[in-house]
Amino acid sequence: MIISVTDIRQFIDAALSDEMLEMKLTGLENLVRSYTHNDFQVRDIRSQSEIIDNKIVNPPSYLTVGDTIQISQSLLNNGVYTVTEITDEGMTLSGNLLDCKNNLVTKVFYPDDVVMGVVNLCKWELDNRAKVGIQSETISRHSVTYFNMDGENAVMGYPKSLLGFLKPYMKARF
């Protein structure tokens, strides 16, 4: 996960449950990964590991609880997960895993500017999502004009200006 629910609560004041906020953060993580075509993988921290009884046997070194990993080249378990426990028997992840011999396990690391960009996207989502589609509002003598969300100003449902932090991380798609 780009940022944990407890960490994001330090930056935003949301009346959402932890489960709902976690779902929003997972959606934003998927948005960032698909928009940039970047997996943010640390290829130096990688191993070919077996999964037995919902645990990764012989996980890569240098992983800690709370780290994000990506499982790829697996028949059953491809995806992005969060490390929840590391013991002598193996590593447990946030999702359910199926037994599989060949899994490429790689650490995922998001730079600080990407993390803060996601925090800003989450703030915008909570504060302004309900106002999308309203161009102007007048109450008595007070008039407010909102940001126009037409085709050129919006990307993936967010203002284009909010996604500028991702430009350095864009990868070519072939």
Side-chain angles (χ1 to χ4, degrees), residues 2-14 21 25 112 114-124 126-127:
I2 287 183
I3 185 170
S4 69
V5 172
T6 55
D7 289 343
I8 200 165
R9 288 206 186 270
Q10 296 174 3
F11 298 105
I12 64 171
D13 184 30
L21 196 53
L25 290 171
D112 291 339
V114 172
V115 173
M116 289 311 297
V118 168
V119 169
N120 289 334
L121 286 173
C122 200
K123 278 183 189 177
W124 184 89
L126 295 171
D127 296 340

Side-chain angles (χ1 to χ4, degrees), residues 108-170:
V108 175
F109 175 76
Y110 298 101
D112 291 339
D113 57 336
V114 172
V115 173
M116 289 311 297
V118 168
V119 169
N120 289 334
L121 286 173
C122 200
K123 278 183 189 177
W124 184 89
E125 173 86 24
L126 295 171
D127 296 340
N128 299 320
R129 180 61 69 187
K131 297 176 185 174
V132 170
I134 301 172
Q135 184 114 12
S136 66
E137 176 180 300
T138 304
I139 300 174
S140 189
R141 292 186 203 157
H142 180 73
S143 179
V144 178
T145 302
Y146 295 107
F147 181 77
N148 190 7
M149 289 285 288
D150 62 3
E152 292 185 18
N153 294 328
V155 175
M156 300 181 94
Y158 292 93
K160 200 172 193 178
S161 60
L162 283 179
L163 294 174
F165 71 95
L166 294 174
K167 189 165 184 159
Y169 302 102
M170 301 283 278

Side-chain angles (χ1 to χ4, degrees), residues 1 29 65-69 80-85 92-95:
M1 185 176 297
E29 180 178 17
V65 173
D67 282 348
T68 302
I69 63 148
V80 179
Y81 302 92
T82 303
V83 177
T84 57
E85 181 183 28
T92 307
L93 305 179
S94 57

